[in-house]
Amino acid sequence: NSARNYGISLGVLSPGEWNAITDVPGVAVGHATLLEGTQVRTGVTAILPHQENLFQMKVPAAVYVGNGFGKLAGSTQIQELGNLESPIVLTNTLSVAAGMEGILDYMLFLEGNEEVGSLNAVVGETNDGYLNDIRGRHVRPEHVVEAIKKAKNGPVREGNVGAGTGTVCFGFKGGIGTSSRKLPANLGGYTVGVLVQSNFGGVLQIAGQPVGKILGQYSFRNQLESADGSCMIVVATDAPVDSRNLERIAKRAMMGLARTGGIASNGSGDYVIAFSTARQLLASPATVTPLDNGAVTPLFLAAIEATEEAIINSLFAAEDMKGKNGRQVKALPKERVRQLFLE
Amino acid sequence: NSARNYGISLGVLSPGEWNAITDVPGVAVGHATLLEGTQVRTGVTAILPHQENLFQMKVPAAVYVGNGFGKLAGSTQIQELGNLESPIVLTNTLSVAAGMEGILDYMLFLEGNEEVGSLNAVVGETNDGYLNDIRGRHVRPEHVVEAIKKAKNGPVREGNVGAGTGTVCFGFKGGIGTSSRKLPANLGGYTVGVLVQSNFGGVLQIAGQPVGKILGQYSFRNQLESADGSCMIVVATDAPVDSRNLERIAKRAMMGLARTGGIASNGSGDYVIAFSTARQLLASPATVTPLDNGAVTPLFLAAIEATEEAIINSLFAAEDMKGKNGRQVKALPKERVRQLFLE
Amino acid sequence: NSARNYGISLGVLSPGEWNAITDVPGVAVGHATLLEGTQVRTGVTAILPHQENLFQMKVPAAVYVGNGFGKLAGSTQIQELGNLESPIVLTNTLSVAAGMEGILDYMLFLEGNEEVGSLNAVVGETNDGYLNDIRGRHVRPEHVVEAIKKAKNGPVREGNVGAGTGTVCFGFKGGIGTSSRKLPANLGGYTVGVLVQSNFGGVLQIAGQPVGKILGQYSFRNQLESADGSCMIVVATDAPVDSRNLERIAKRAMMGLARTGGIASNGSGDYVIAFSTARQLLASPATVTPLDNGAVTPLFLAAIEATEEAIINSLFAAEDMKGKNGRQVKALPKERVRQLFLE
Amino acid sequence: NSARNYGISLGVLSPGEWNAITDVPGVAVGHATLLEGTQVRTGVTAILPHQENLFQMKVPAAVYVGNGFGKLAGSTQIQELGNLESPIVLTNTLSVAAGMEGILDYMLFLEGNEEVGSLNAVVGETNDGYLNDIRGRHVRPEHVVEAIKKAKNGPVREGNVGAGTGTVCFGFKGGIGTSSRKLPANLGGYTVGVLVQSNFGGVLQIAGQPVGKILGQYSFRNQLESADGSCMIVVATDAPVDSRNLERIAKRAMMGLARTGGIASNGSGDYVIAFSTARQLLASPATVTPLDNGAVTPLFLAAIEATEEAIINSLFAAEDMKGKNGRQVKALPKERVRQLFLE
């Protein structure tokens, strides 16, 4: 279930095979979904740049803060050292500590890490407290380990899964979404993949159509609704880009979010974590050299388009969800949206 | 000549009286246009938060760097001190020094500034070298003084004027554009105005319509065209916001640019300068208190919408221009675009 | 046990009553110390801007990253919103998650916080793995709650206590240290207090004396010793300064560290968290107005001096410590240092 | 005339041959000094990473803003692209525009630059208005070209020369100062050189001795003196470090300033520009690989020590100066300081 299945295509570049972050060779994604009783609607999604020992084989990385009303763990070390040494874990706002403990439980005991006494666990979150009993802190470290261990290449489950189980986006059910772009050979042939945890507001646009306006559902419509909420965005590429250019790519992901009608409200925790799988850049001496500035613009466009489409895909993949205190959030009315594009 | 005259409206908030940055009370804009012979197509645009002595009555301000391949003068002092003490001058890339000299020529000799030995001149630029003999450095300090002195409230000339005389945007003639949003009373009633100098590439979207794609004119179409170029963005508001929240507002302007299809390419100098006219915030002691974080989201949305529309307006207002070495850049085919919106 | 007791005074400004961060009215400090068997040498130190409900009565705050090889939790939200809504907890590198859980355990259940579903827990750390079994993750959330609950005004225990139990500084036993400066009335009369968790290397200077050189103990002496290690620095003031000027004050704390001979090595996690207790600045509308830029320089000097002295005090207060695997770290030879100052 | 000539040595690393920024192979420095009549006491100092066409052979670079009350031109492009493409020019506050024009006059007409229409001129400044008729804007572009053309390798003139002609530091005559450190071979053998334009206040320390206090001359002594003023710092190295690690090195220069007793007052424009002469890092593909994070700490220490000593050297080299309106500033009483170190 993606926008393309409904005949809606976004941007001018082409997606990779799975239209997923896993189109970047080596990248793996795993989910642990907590759907328990009537109150628990949450989970964990783990993104791994590769499936070997990440602490021993770090990858170049960067963080860009779109709006920092959030609890992202691990950002300053990525920014200082320009690398990532742990899986990226997404979960809910009050479970960041569980996310960190889970990463440590997994990483500290990998072969080769017996003496490791410092590890930068990277955990992002959005607040699923509308549908989920967030104060119950139901995510435990073992769920995090589960998501990491389940991570695999190939197609990625989207919508009400993992860290997207309980999220809400533009007033519709949000969730996990993913997309990718593969550059033509003469622009380098690199792939950029994006995965999002969508949980924010604004005035929804799909491929430019003011869907939110048409459906009468958008922030500030009645000058009382909030646009708050957050979006975690993970960008992967196999292009050999160093941390400085990864930060620039990360910045463009927020431009993709803007194209969906997001506004990065005061209450949003919109963070972008970007990494390159070209870990040879960090070898000593490095065995590849980083792309120079002049070659990165196509990667910018790819990051914008893949982010836009990943968010839209999260809406197309998500389904109606009933949760905490009997609250219900409807999925995007996909058939109606399809009609808008036929008119 | 604005998008609204062609029946195209953008966003969900309403513009102010002039749909211009001058809808923010006190803000004045002036242009000096250099159209000389066949080679000179450049100029100066000055934006003044108020028309009294700015050094003596500074205003709260912030700068956000969308992409820093540019020569903006004055940014670090604004960022450090959170205030603006000079007119904002826009011109071409090789005339930033002339812009600074012009500001000094004007400001140092204002009554009350007789002892001033340090003044932070703020000058932005984009590169109009395709149509203009930029290496000739034709802008002189006196043109800058002229633009400052001509600054006035009310309607603002757009298109091929001042610093927009020679710019190109999405492959069409760009230029100066402006727009504004006035919040409803229950969201504070504040006005946000934006003025842009548009000179960048990407894949043009107008109100969501993929106009660039439809017209067959966009970056990377043939994997050889550049998306380079820049956009200077000035955001004004009468809301009493301090420098921290002004920076957050400035950041949102790049989201407005994203909605037009801009991608902030490697070669772009995309800068946003935001100021509040509430200079009482800087009184000692301050006689008003800054808006708190919870009240700024509507200003974010206003900045996004006004930036998007200011860029689109720059395209609607610009006209065909012939310049350096016989080069010609066509204006946006407005009638054809109007038809797209009727279909 | 402080440098002043040994006749060594630093700087030109005078300390407050306790020469401690608690000289800033309302600030409270609490420790939980874990000294178990032969292997556990760690703990928790909590710093509270006031002892009411911090989530409901946030204080202005800022973070400055001296060097970001560390796991500080909560930084991006402080930077975005300019406020602090939790106690600041210091502990060891692998116990940051426990620190966050402890803060949530304490804060979520305070009266008035029944509906809170998002809370920015601020936890800093340094690596005490030389003396402590850090991989054992012995700090638990209940220790964090204990430190918070024990927090009190007045004199502060320094040295081998709380988060300083197992740290090492300049090759001597480090730990918790604190100091303060009270400005003369005509410079505002404000107090600046600093608390550090010292755990770093370099070439020790005390009041300018090259003690490290004289004692033959400094980084790179044999071109093989590491200068790595970290320093967490908390700066408090009762001056009504907003987040922008708090960030500037925080930056100066690193200049105080520099005066002790610290070099912020690649492997250091040197972070400064600064807050003002003037929570009235965040009232809506604010009932006090922030100090303007022109008034902050004396606060800069105070932050520099108090940081320098807090670090030196951590060395004077610390005592010999035996820990993990029989390792031992000696305290600064205080009598010998006293002699240096008599010569 | 340097501190070492007076028997005062700083730090634990050794200087290079000239104890100057020019110890970094290829780096050249040139001055143009304006000493005219009784009122003009200013000038220009140019620092060149190499003496070929810098626009065509850019070098890796970074900027760190210690305190941004200054008018540094060119910072955002260095930060975005991580490179430097012009000489670095230092001058007075109101002559930054002249500095930029001079750079353009020189660079645009170099062989190979015939089509260049965008060039990032880097100009720093401090305010010499106490001794110099700064409002007269006596520095002209031709003085800038002169300084660039005169630039040479080898020993560097210090004190009252070039951009240091009219500056004041710690209440004594300041000026240009320089120093270097050469790492031992087993730490890489690289050289770090620093040049400063010293013009700031605080409480002078020399090699730890509280000279300012002893001589009774320091900021806030009478609670009325200002510590304002600025320091421009240029750091060069031949180590192959990329822009991210150059920024970290730049940050350490402020720690060197701190060791002299500087406090980076509100009114200071303290900027550090760091570059590597390893331009092969920017080749495409790069022909060397950047140092990894683990190798940079010795460069940090070298930058701290060389900055400290460069500032102290500026004081030792400067001589009494009489200037604007009959004002006079005395040099540091060097003999008296020498005595302090003998006692």
Side-chain angles (χ1 to χ4, degrees):
Chain A
N1 263 333
S2 71
R4 286 179 192 260
N5 294 134
Y6 285 81
I8 299 165
S9 84
L10 295 141
V12 298
L13 298 170
S14 302
E17 179 176 9
W18 308 110
N19 195 15
I21 195 170
T22 46
D23 287 320
V24 179
V27 174
V29 175
H31 301 294
T33 301
L34 280 79
L35 266 168
E36 298 162 9
T38 58
Q39 305 290 302
V40 181
R41 302 286 182 272
T42 192
V44 179
T45 295
I47 300 97
L48 282 68
H50 60 69
Q51 288 175 285
E52 295 175 78
N53 186 327
L54 264 161
F55 185 83
Q56 302 298 337
M57 283 174 282
K58 305 182 206 304
V59 294
V63 168
Y64 175 68
V65 180
N67 193 68
F69 197 147
K71 331 298 177 204
L72 175 62
S75 63
T76 58
Q77 185 164 322
I78 295 176
Q79 289 168 322
E80 184 76 40
L81 302 181
N83 63 37
L84 175 71
E85 63 187 27
S86 90
I88 298 166
V89 162
L90 307 179
T91 185
N92 75 55
T93 307
L94 294 183
S95 295
V96 170
M100 296 169 75
E101 292 284 15
I103 289 173
L104 292 179
D105 287 349
Y106 177 79
M107 292 295 295
L108 289 183
F109 302 98
L110 289 185
E111 199 185 326
N113 291 356
E114 293 77 8
E115 301 301 318
V116 172
S118 171
L119 192 136
N120 189 42
V122 177
V123 184
E125 52 75 30
T126 71
N127 196 311
D128 56 16
Y130 184 77
L131 287 173
N132 176 49
D133 170 31
I134 194 168
R135 287 173 58 100
R137 289 186 269 167
H138 300 280
V139 173
R140 302 308 310 150
E142 50 268 29
H143 301 123
V144 177
V145 173
E146 177 193 339
I148 294 172
K149 289 193 168 163
K150 276 185 175 167
K152 58 183 203 309
N153 310 124
V156 172
R157 279 197 59 204
E158 298 172 274
N160 302 356
V161 66
T165 303
T167 64
V168 181
C169 192
F170 293 113
F172 303 107
K173 183 68 190 65
I176 298 297
T178 191
S179 180
S180 70
R181 288 296 182 271
K182 186 162 174 43
L183 295 179
N186 61 352
L187 292 175
Y190 302 113
T191 298
V192 174
V194 172
L195 181 143
V196 302
Q197 176 192 25
S198 73
N199 192 42
F200 62 97
V203 185
L204 177 62
Q205 292 185 183
I206 299 181
Q209 287 266 19
V211 174
K213 232 162 132 179
I214 294 168
L215 301 182
Q217 175 159 333
Y218 56 88
S219 298
F220 299 114
R221 192 170 40 121
N222 298 315
Q223 283 116 49
L224 38 78
E225 291 155 80
S226 161
D228 276 354
S230 302
C231 194
M232 282 299 311
I233 304 175
V234 179
V235 182
T237 185
D238 55 355
V241 266
D242 64 12
S243 57
R244 185 173 49 74
N245 274 318
L246 282 167
E247 185 183 343
R248 301 172 81 200
I249 290 169
K251 238 169 152 169
R252 270 64 188 180
M254 286 302 292
M255 300 180 76
L257 181 144
R259 283 157 60 141
T260 67
I263 61 176
S265 71
N266 171 64
S268 70
D270 297 332
Y271 298 90
V272 189
I273 306 168
F275 62 82
S276 164
T277 56
R279 64 194 198 224
Q280 305 88 330
L281 279 176
L282 301 185
S284 179
T287 54
V288 299
T289 60
L291 282 192
D292 58 32
N293 293 326
V296 297
T297 302
L299 299 168
F300 291 178
L301 181 58
I304 293 172
E305 292 193 359
T307 303
E308 181 184 9
E309 189 162 328
I311 292 168
I312 300 303
N313 281 346
S314 77
L315 290 165
F316 274 87
E319 293 171 1
D320 296 356
M321 174 66 83
K322 212 168 161 172
K324 191 173 73 167
N325 303 344
R327 291 174 187 155
Q328 188 161 11
V329 177
K330 290 285 193 183
L332 183 76
K334 284 162 267 195
E335 279 308 321
R336 196 156 160 214
V337 171
R338 184 208 296 269
Q339 290 306 315
L340 289 177
F341 281 85
L342 295 180
E343 282 157 18
Chain B
N1 262 335
S2 71
R4 287 180 191 260
N5 294 134
Y6 285 80
I8 299 165
S9 83
L10 295 141
V12 297
L13 298 171
S14 302
E17 179 177 6
W18 307 110
N19 195 15
I21 194 169
T22 46
D23 286 320
V24 179
V27 174
V29 175
H31 301 294
T33 302
L34 279 78
L35 266 168
E36 298 162 10
T38 57
Q39 305 288 302
V40 181
R41 303 287 181 270
T42 192
V44 178
T45 296
I47 301 96
L48 282 69
H50 59 70
Q51 288 175 284
E52 295 175 78
N53 186 327
L54 264 162
F55 185 84
Q56 302 298 338
M57 283 173 282
K58 305 182 207 301
V59 294
V63 167
Y64 174 69
V65 181
N67 193 68
F69 197 147
K71 331 298 177 205
L72 176 62
S75 62
T76 58
Q77 185 164 323
I78 295 176
Q79 289 168 322
E80 184 75 39
L81 302 182
N83 65 37
L84 175 70
E85 63 188 26
S86 91
I88 298 166
V89 163
L90 307 179
T91 185
N92 76 56
T93 307
L94 294 184
S95 295
V96 171
M100 296 169 76
E101 292 284 16
I103 289 174
L104 293 179
D105 288 347
Y106 177 80
M107 292 294 295
L108 289 183
F109 302 99
L110 289 185
E111 199 185 325
N113 292 355
E114 293 76 8
E115 300 301 317
V116 172
S118 171
L119 191 136
N120 189 42
V122 177
V123 184
E125 52 75 32
T126 71
N127 197 311
D128 56 17
Y130 184 76
L131 287 172
N132 176 49
D133 170 31
I134 193 168
R135 288 173 57 101
R137 290 187 269 168
H138 299 282
V139 173
R140 302 307 311 151
E142 50 268 29
H143 301 123
V144 177
V145 173
E146 177 194 338
I148 294 171
K149 289 193 170 166
K150 277 186 176 167
K152 58 183 203 310
N153 311 123
V156 173
R157 279 197 58 202
E158 298 173 273
N160 303 355
V161 67
T165 303
T167 64
V168 181
C169 191
F170 292 112
F172 303 107
K173 183 67 190 66
I176 298 296
T178 191
S179 180
S180 70
R181 290 295 182 271
K182 187 162 174 45
L183 297 178
N186 62 351
L187 292 175
Y190 302 113
T191 297
V192 174
V194 172
L195 181 144
V196 302
Q197 177 193 24
S198 72
N199 192 42
F200 62 97
V203 185
L204 177 62
Q205 292 185 183
I206 299 180
Q209 287 267 18
V211 174
K213 230 162 134 179
I214 293 168
L215 300 182
Q217 175 160 333
Y218 56 87
S219 298
F220 299 114
R221 190 170 42 120
N222 298 314
Q223 282 115 49
L224 38 79
E225 290 156 81
S226 161
D228 277 354
S230 303
C231 195
M232 283 298 312
I233 305 175
V234 179
V235 182
T237 185
D238 55 354
V241 266
D242 64 12
S243 58
R244 185 172 50 75
N245 274 319
L246 282 167
E247 186 184 343
R248 300 172 82 200
I249 291 169
K251 239 169 151 169
R252 270 63 188 180
M254 286 302 292
M255 300 180 76
L257 182 145
R259 283 156 61 141
T260 67
I263 61 176
S265 71
N266 171 64
S268 71
D270 297 333
Y271 298 90
V272 190
I273 306 168
F275 63 82
S276 164
T277 55
R279 64 195 197 222
Q280 305 88 330
L281 278 175
L282 302 185
S284 180
T287 54
V288 298
T289 60
L291 282 191
D292 59 32
N293 293 325
V296 297
T297 302
L299 298 168
F300 290 178
L301 181 58
I304 292 171
E305 292 193 358
T307 303
E308 180 184 10
E309 189 162 329
I311 292 168
I312 299 303
N313 281 346
S314 77
L315 291 164
F316 274 87
E319 294 172 0
D320 296 357
M321 174 66 84
K322 211 168 161 173
K324 191 173 72 167
N325 303 343
R327 291 174 188 155
Q328 190 162 11
V329 177
K330 291 284 194 184
L332 182 76
K334 284 161 266 195
E335 279 308 320
R336 195 154 162 217
V337 171
R338 183 209 296 268
Q339 290 306 316
L340 290 176
F341 281 85
L342 295 180
E343 282 158 18
Chain C
N1 263 333
S2 70
R4 286 178 192 262
N5 294 133
Y6 285 80
I8 299 165
S9 83
L10 295 140
V12 297
L13 299 171
S14 302
E17 180 177 7
W18 307 110
N19 195 14
I21 194 170
T22 47
D23 286 320
V24 179
V27 174
V29 174
H31 301 294
T33 301
L34 280 78
L35 266 168
E36 298 162 9
T38 58
Q39 305 289 303
V40 181
R41 301 288 181 271
T42 191
V44 178
T45 296
I47 301 96
L48 282 69
H50 59 70
Q51 287 176 283
E52 294 175 78
N53 186 327
L54 264 162
F55 185 84
Q56 302 297 337
M57 282 174 281
K58 306 182 206 302
V59 295
V63 168
Y64 174 69
V65 181
N67 193 68
F69 197 147
K71 332 296 177 204
L72 175 63
S75 63
T76 57
Q77 184 163 323
I78 294 176
Q79 289 168 322
E80 183 76 38
L81 302 181
N83 64 38
L84 175 71
E85 62 187 28
S86 91
I88 297 167
V89 162
L90 307 178
T91 185
N92 76 55
T93 308
L94 295 183
S95 296
V96 171
M100 296 169 75
E101 293 284 16
I103 289 175
L104 293 179
D105 288 349
Y106 177 78
M107 291 294 295
L108 290 182
F109 303 98
L110 288 185
E111 198 185 326
N113 291 356
E114 293 77 7
E115 301 300 318
V116 172
S118 172
L119 191 137
N120 189 42
V122 177
V123 184
E125 52 76 30
T126 71
N127 196 311
D128 56 17
Y130 184 76
L131 287 173
N132 176 48
D133 170 31
I134 194 169
R135 288 173 56 101
R137 290 186 269 168
H138 299 281
V139 173
R140 302 308 311 150
E142 50 267 31
H143 300 123
V144 177
V145 173
E146 177 194 338
I148 294 172
K149 288 193 170 164
K150 277 186 176 167
K152 59 181 203 310
N153 311 124
V156 172
R157 281 198 56 204
E158 298 173 273
N160 301 356
V161 65
T165 303
T167 64
V168 180
C169 192
F170 292 112
F172 302 108
K173 183 68 189 66
I176 298 296
T178 190
S179 181
S180 70
R181 289 296 181 272
K182 185 159 173 47
L183 296 178
N186 61 351
L187 292 175
Y190 303 113
T191 298
V192 174
V194 171
L195 182 144
V196 303
Q197 176 193 25
S198 72
N199 192 42
F200 61 98
V203 186
L204 177 61
Q205 291 186 182
I206 298 180
Q209 288 266 21
V211 175
K213 232 162 131 179
I214 294 168
L215 300 182
Q217 175 160 333
Y218 56 87
S219 299
F220 300 115
R221 191 171 41 123
N222 298 314
Q223 282 115 49
L224 38 78
E225 291 157 81
S226 162
D228 277 353
S230 301
C231 195
M232 281 299 311
I233 305 175
V234 179
V235 182
T237 185
D238 55 354
V241 266
D242 64 13
S243 57
R244 184 172 50 74
N245 275 319
L246 282 167
E247 185 184 343
R248 301 173 80 199
I249 291 169
K251 239 168 150 168
R252 270 64 187 179
M254 286 301 292
M255 300 180 77
L257 182 144
R259 283 156 62 141
T260 68
I263 61 175
S265 71
N266 171 64
S268 71
D270 297 332
Y271 298 91
V272 190
I273 306 169
F275 62 82
S276 165
T277 56
R279 63 195 198 223
Q280 305 86 331
L281 279 176
L282 302 184
S284 180
T287 54
V288 298
T289 60
L291 282 192
D292 59 31
N293 292 326
V296 297
T297 301
L299 299 167
F300 291 177
L301 181 58
I304 292 171
E305 293 192 359
T307 302
E308 181 184 10
E309 188 162 330
I311 292 167
I312 301 303
N313 282 345
S314 77
L315 291 164
F316 274 88
E319 294 172 359
D320 296 357
M321 174 67 83
K322 210 167 163 176
K324 192 173 73 168
N325 302 343
R327 292 173 187 155
Q328 188 162 12
V329 177
K330 291 284 193 184
L332 183 75
K334 283 162 270 195
E335 279 308 322
R336 196 155 160 215
V337 171
R338 185 210 296 266
Q339 290 306 315
L340 289 176
F341 281 85
L342 294 180
E343 283 157 16
Chain D
N1 263 332
S2 70
R4 287 180 191 261
N5 294 133
Y6 285 81
I8 299 165
S9 83
L10 296 140
V12 297
L13 299 171
S14 302
E17 179 176 9
W18 307 110
N19 195 15
I21 194 170
T22 47
D23 286 320
V24 179
V27 174
V29 175
H31 302 293
T33 302
L34 279 78
L35 266 168
E36 298 162 10
T38 57
Q39 306 288 303
V40 180
R41 300 288 181 271
T42 192
V44 178
T45 295
I47 301 97
L48 282 69
H50 59 70
Q51 286 175 284
E52 296 175 79
N53 186 327
L54 264 162
F55 185 84
Q56 302 297 338
M57 282 175 282
K58 306 183 207 302
V59 295
V63 169
Y64 174 68
V65 181
N67 192 68
F69 197 147
K71 332 297 178 204
L72 175 63
S75 63
T76 57
Q77 184 163 324
I78 294 176
Q79 289 168 322
E80 183 76 40
L81 302 181
N83 64 38
L84 175 71
E85 63 187 26
S86 91
I88 297 166
V89 162
L90 307 179
T91 186
N92 75 55
T93 308
L94 294 184
S95 295
V96 171
M100 295 168 76
E101 292 285 15
I103 289 174
L104 293 179
D105 288 349
Y106 177 78
M107 291 295 295
L108 290 182
F109 303 98
L110 288 185
E111 198 184 326
N113 291 356
E114 293 77 8
E115 301 300 319
V116 172
S118 172
L119 191 137
N120 190 42
V122 176
V123 184
E125 51 76 31
T126 70
N127 196 311
D128 56 17
Y130 184 76
L131 286 173
N132 176 46
D133 170 31
I134 193 168
R135 288 174 57 101
R137 289 186 269 169
H138 298 281
V139 173
R140 301 309 310 150
E142 50 268 31
H143 300 123
V144 178
V145 173
E146 177 194 338
I148 294 171
K149 288 194 170 164
K150 277 186 177 167
K152 58 182 203 309
N153 310 124
V156 172
R157 280 197 57 203
E158 299 172 273
N160 301 356
V161 65
T165 303
T167 64
V168 180
C169 192
F170 292 112
F172 303 107
K173 183 67 190 67
I176 297 296
T178 190
S179 181
S180 70
R181 289 296 181 271
K182 185 161 172 46
L183 296 178
N186 61 351
L187 292 175
Y190 303 113
T191 298
V192 174
V194 172
L195 182 144
V196 302
Q197 176 192 24
S198 72
N199 192 42
F200 62 97
V203 186
L204 177 61
Q205 292 185 182
I206 298 180
Q209 288 265 19
V211 175
K213 232 161 131 179
I214 294 167
L215 301 182
Q217 176 160 332
Y218 57 86
S219 299
F220 300 114
R221 192 172 39 123
N222 298 315
Q223 282 114 51
L224 37 77
E225 291 156 81
S226 162
D228 277 354
S230 302
C231 195
M232 282 299 312
I233 306 175
V234 178
V235 182
T237 185
D238 55 354
V241 266
D242 64 12
S243 56
R244 184 172 50 74
N245 274 319
L246 282 167
E247 186 184 342
R248 301 172 81 200
I249 291 169
K251 239 168 150 168
R252 271 64 187 180
M254 286 301 292
M255 300 180 76
L257 182 145
R259 284 156 62 140
T260 68
I263 61 175
S265 71
N266 171 64
S268 70
D270 296 333
Y271 298 90
V272 190
I273 306 170
F275 62 83
S276 164
T277 56
R279 63 194 198 224
Q280 306 87 331
L281 279 176
L282 301 184
S284 179
T287 53
V288 299
T289 60
L291 282 192
D292 59 31
N293 293 326
V296 297
T297 301
L299 299 168
F300 291 177
L301 180 58
I304 292 171
E305 292 192 0
T307 302
E308 180 184 9
E309 189 162 329
I311 292 167
I312 299 303
N313 282 345
S314 77
L315 291 164
F316 274 87
E319 294 173 359
D320 295 357
M321 174 67 84
K322 211 167 162 174
K324 193 173 70 167
N325 303 342
R327 293 174 186 154
Q328 188 162 11
V329 177
K330 291 283 193 184
L332 183 75
K334 281 161 270 196
E335 279 309 319
R336 195 155 162 216
V337 172
R338 183 210 296 267
Q339 290 307 315
L340 290 176
F341 282 85
L342 295 180
E343 282 157 19

